[in-house]
Amino acid sequence: MKDWLDEVNWNAEGLVPAIAQDYRTGRVLMMAWMNREALALTAAEQRAIYWSRSRGKLWRKGEESGHVQKLHELRLDCDADVVILQVEQLGGIACHTGRESCFYRVLENGVWRVVDPVLKDPHAIYHAGHTHE
Amino acid sequence: MKDWLDEVNWNAEGLVPAIAQDYRTGRVLMMAWMNREALALTAAEQRAIYWSRSRGKLWRKGEESGHVQKLHELRLDCDADVVILQVEQLGGIACHTGRESCFYRVLENGVWRVVDPVLKDPHAIYHAGHTHE
């Protein structure tokens, strides 16, 4: 039997975009990337584990902030090159800026306007010296 | 004043991932890519216009199928490298397989299982010789 991970069309860097969506409200919280190991671990541990391209290593979402994303459902798209995760966002904050969602800027009259509040000071979320998980 | 398009962090290929979400139900319909021209046209024409990487040209979603995505809101994420579109999906079908959403497969016990129905035969959506817009 073909492994479900083999059915994913990984890009040239061996990655696939992963969209995280609140399983209750449907709000899209963030988009990050996964390599094969990250996706395998996400399914095995039932929590979102991404591949950090900037740091070049696995990113266990919430490892520092506590803002773990518990997995409720995992889907693959028609081209098998994007996955979507239905998650329970612990702490109600997905973004490193302290907001619920990373998509907090709306285009209005040719300007990206911030429309969502900061729910928690990022300095209170992360230790000194970190600006992003 | 800096152009809003300049604030987007385009990748090495000059593209940005674009997530389309049903503005009423919150269902994520698809993820595709946009270059600068596609994003500018999307905002100008208030409908989703992507960049087709496979065909190497602009892809006016719905140009053949009639399944136009009318734009209701456009957002940018914290890293400015992903956009999300709240859309009205004309015809109720976003996927070239004739389904509402491209994310119609769920991981269950190590298998990607198709869980969403085909709403319209793809051959009735597209002219002969086309399998994808």
Side-chain angles (χ1 to χ4, degrees):
Chain A
M1 199 178 79
K2 198 177 180 187
D3 192 304
W4 62 278
L5 291 162
D6 294 329
E7 295 185 51
V8 176
N9 286 325
W10 309 97
N11 72 8
E13 290 80 44
L15 303 175
V16 70
I19 301 164
Q21 183 175 31
D22 186 296
Y23 83 110
R24 277 174 296 220
T25 67
R27 175 118 197 227
V28 174
L29 302 171
M30 56 183 285
M31 197 208 88
W33 296 81
M34 294 185 178
N35 63 3
R36 187 183 176 98
E37 185 184 7
L39 184 54
L41 286 170
T42 294
E45 300 187 15
Q46 293 289 294
R47 58 175 282 193
I49 298 176
Y50 302 103
W51 176 256
S52 170
R53 296 178 302 173
S54 59
R55 295 185 298 160
K57 64 173 191 169
L58 286 176
W59 168 26
R60 293 175 174 275
K61 174 69 181 162
E63 61 190 341
E64 188 183 348
S65 63
H67 297 155
V68 168
Q69 295 176 333
K70 292 178 67 177
L71 185 67
H72 280 249
E73 190 185 75
L74 185 59
R75 290 190 180 224
L76 182 67
D77 80 338
C78 53
D79 295 327
D81 60 3
V82 184
V83 295
I84 186 165
L85 291 74
Q86 298 295 329
V87 301
E88 179 185 352
Q89 177 62 66
L90 300 192
I93 295 174
C95 187
H96 75 288
T97 65
R99 294 180 176 88
E100 178 191 11
S101 164
C102 295
F103 297 93
Y104 56 80
R105 288 184 282 184
V106 174
L107 186 65
E108 287 181 7
N109 301 316
V111 176
W112 294 111
R113 194 165 77 80
V114 174
V115 294
D116 294 344
V118 172
L119 302 176
K120 189 172 180 180
D121 183 342
H123 294 101
I125 300 176
Y126 304 100
H127 300 299
H130 292 82
T131 56
H132 202 296
E133 281 185 303
Chain B
M1 199 179 80
K2 198 178 180 188
D3 193 303
W4 63 278
L5 290 164
D6 293 330
E7 294 186 50
V8 176
N9 285 326
W10 307 98
N11 73 7
E13 289 80 44
L15 304 176
V16 71
I19 300 165
Q21 183 175 32
D22 186 296
Y23 84 109
R24 276 175 298 218
T25 67
R27 174 116 198 229
V28 174
L29 302 171
M30 58 184 283
M31 196 208 89
W33 296 80
M34 292 185 179
N35 62 4
R36 187 183 176 98
E37 186 183 8
L39 184 55
L41 287 170
T42 294
E45 301 186 15
Q46 294 288 295
R47 58 173 283 193
I49 298 177
Y50 303 102
W51 175 257
S52 171
R53 296 180 303 171
S54 60
R55 295 184 298 162
K57 64 173 191 170
L58 287 176
W59 167 26
R60 294 175 173 271
K61 174 69 181 163
E63 61 191 340
E64 189 183 348
S65 63
H67 297 154
V68 167
Q69 295 176 334
K70 292 178 68 177
L71 185 66
H72 281 248
E73 189 185 75
L74 184 59
R75 290 190 180 225
L76 182 66
D77 80 339
C78 53
D79 295 327
D81 60 2
V82 184
V83 295
I84 186 165
L85 292 74
Q86 299 293 330
V87 301
E88 179 185 352
Q89 177 61 66
L90 301 193
I93 295 174
C95 186
H96 75 287
T97 65
R99 294 181 176 87
E100 179 192 11
S101 164
C102 294
F103 297 93
Y104 56 81
R105 286 183 284 184
V106 174
L107 185 65
E108 286 182 7
N109 303 316
V111 176
W112 294 111
R113 194 164 76 81
V114 173
V115 294
D116 293 342
V118 172
L119 302 176
K120 189 172 179 181
D121 183 340
H123 294 102
I125 300 175
Y126 303 100
H127 299 301
H130 292 82
T131 56
H132 202 299
E133 279 186 304

